Amino acid sequence: MIASRPARPDPASVLEDRGYRLTGPRRSVIRLLDRKEEGFSAEDICEELPGVGRATVYRTIRLLLDAGVLCKLALPDGAPKYSLARVEHHHHTFCVTCGNVGEFRDTTIERLLRTIGADIAGEIVGHRMEFYIVCRACLEAPER
Amino acid sequence: MIASRPARPDPASVLEDRGYRLTGPRRSVIRLLDRKEEGFSAEDICEELPGVGRATVYRTIRLLLDAGVLCKLALPDGAPKYSLARVEHHHHTFCVTCGNVGEFRDTTIERLLRTIGADIAGEIVGHRMEFYIVCRACLEAPER
DNA sequence: CGATCATATGATACTTAGTCTCATCTTTTA
DNA sequence: TAAAAGATGAGACTAAGTATCATATGATCG
């Protein structure tokens, strides 16, 4: 068995399940996203797929976000990056050096949410949590 | 003693301490921000201060962000909101109903950060954490 | 198979959030 | 009070994303 990775929902099937057509442009976008490990911007996709219209790229991204198979995260300065979701509910690490996006689940966080829920004057309806890191590879990489 | 609030660094003094001039436009911006409890956008400020140029509003906001006396947070859809900082290091709650911004410190979070630090393959250099809530007042408010 | 009709697409205009430029205006300081 | 440093405002520009609308695609039915 080769380097197994946690199962990742297939974006194409997810779109179909939701009643959307699996068209040429959508396939192109999904195929490209699927190959990306680093966080990417919508404009990256537009540039790499000159045959697909900008509006369609943004529309497809929105469908995938709504379906929960794509995540939108914010860099420290607020700039948006996207990353395909690999596991169900998770949070992100973003390497500020190489742009790699990691996912992690930590039960401490779920506990934290409950603890905070008791502290906060109101009802928690959502949250956002991102960790900016320098990943192992970048820490170990010889300066270049 | 009247409803004491945690000490808040004075934005004007902070700017002066950093060697910036305390000019008329900057005073206007700071005076306005100081009165705002809800999260506000930069354009809100521009509209409420027609005598101050847009560029100056954004520049002042940036100075205050850099100085750490103003916080920039992101709504669930990523839209930016600002809020004056009241305490040193904290996280935010944003009421999705009324827009009120709360701050809180919870030692669970600091512990969480250490725990996660051990899990993550790399070095944490920053983080972002926001909780979207419906605040007590909105929960209790009669539907309108 | 082919007509029909909902759906999707792409070009383009627009919006929002913010930065940049540069000539002018204030402050500070000498 | 003149010179230099710093701040301002008008407006052009950029980035990220949405809206509009005429055209193209593709699923389904006869």
Side-chain angles (χ1 to χ4, degrees):
Chain A
M1 153 178 183
I2 308 178
S4 85
R5 239 197 323 218
R8 163 205 293 200
D10 171 39
S13 331
V14 170
L15 283 198
E16 282 202 311
D17 290 353
R18 300 195 134 213
Y20 296 107
R21 288 185 190 159
L22 208 43
T23 63
R26 284 178 184 162
R27 276 175 205 280
S28 306
V29 172
I30 291 170
R31 218 173 323 112
L32 179 55
L33 301 195
D34 205 43
R35 288 200 304 268
K36 295 210 165 281
E37 276 298 315
E38 293 83 36
F40 49 85
S41 70
E43 295 299 327
D44 289 343
I45 305 305
C46 294
E47 276 166 32
E48 293 179 50
L49 292 175
V52 178
R54 234 171 63 90
T56 297
V57 167
Y58 275 98
R59 280 187 287 237
T60 305
I61 283 177
R62 187 148 34 124
L63 292 182
L64 296 172
L65 283 175
D66 290 350
V69 291
L70 186 67
C71 302
K72 181 176 184 171
L73 49 144
L75 265 50
D77 68 351
K81 289 285 169 193
Y82 298 92
S83 162
L84 262 196
R86 274 127 239 252
V87 299
E88 208 51 32
H89 181 72
H90 62 265
H91 294 99
H92 294 100
T93 56
F94 178 84
C95 174
V96 296
T97 303
C98 71
N100 205 299
V101 173
E103 294 181 352
F104 71 96
R105 275 182 62 74
D106 187 307
T107 52
T108 314
I109 290 182
E110 314 308 325
R111 252 184 296 128
L112 167 80
L113 288 176
R114 280 197 300 281
T115 308
I116 288 170
D119 280 2
I120 286 175
E123 189 186 330
I124 296 182
V125 296
H127 65 274
R128 171 195 294 273
M129 202 179 305
E130 272 130 39
F131 293 90
Y132 305 115
I133 69 170
V134 176
C135 71
R136 185 85 67 209
C138 287
L139 282 175
E140 285 166 4
E143 304 302 331
R144 24 165 184 160
Chain B
M1 152 180 185
I2 309 177
S4 87
R5 242 202 314 227
R8 164 205 291 200
D10 171 38
S13 331
V14 171
L15 283 199
E16 283 202 310
D17 290 352
R18 299 195 133 214
Y20 295 107
R21 289 181 188 162
L22 208 43
T23 64
R26 285 180 184 161
R27 276 174 205 281
S28 307
V29 171
I30 290 170
R31 220 175 318 113
L32 179 55
L33 301 195
D34 205 44
R35 290 201 303 268
K36 296 209 166 281
E37 276 298 313
E38 293 84 35
F40 49 86
S41 71
E43 295 299 328
D44 289 342
I45 305 305
C46 293
E47 277 166 32
E48 294 178 50
L49 291 176
V52 177
R54 234 172 63 90
T56 298
V57 167
Y58 276 97
R59 279 188 287 237
T60 305
I61 284 177
R62 188 148 34 124
L63 291 183
L64 296 172
L65 283 176
D66 290 350
V69 291
L70 186 67
C71 302
K72 181 177 184 170
L73 48 145
L75 266 49
D77 69 351
K81 290 284 170 195
Y82 297 92
S83 161
L84 262 198
R86 274 128 240 252
V87 299
E88 207 53 32
H89 181 70
H90 61 265
H91 295 99
H92 294 100
T93 56
F94 178 85
C95 174
V96 296
T97 303
C98 70
N100 205 298
V101 173
E103 294 181 352
F104 72 97
R105 275 182 62 74
D106 188 305
T107 53
T108 314
I109 291 183
E110 315 307 326
R111 252 184 296 128
L112 166 79
L113 289 176
R114 279 197 301 279
T115 308
I116 287 170
D119 280 2
I120 286 174
E123 189 185 331
I124 297 182
V125 296
H127 66 273
R128 171 195 296 270
M129 201 180 304
E130 273 130 38
F131 292 91
Y132 304 115
I133 68 170
V134 177
C135 71
R136 185 87 67 212
C138 287
L139 282 175
E140 284 165 6
E143 305 301 330
R144 25 165 184 163

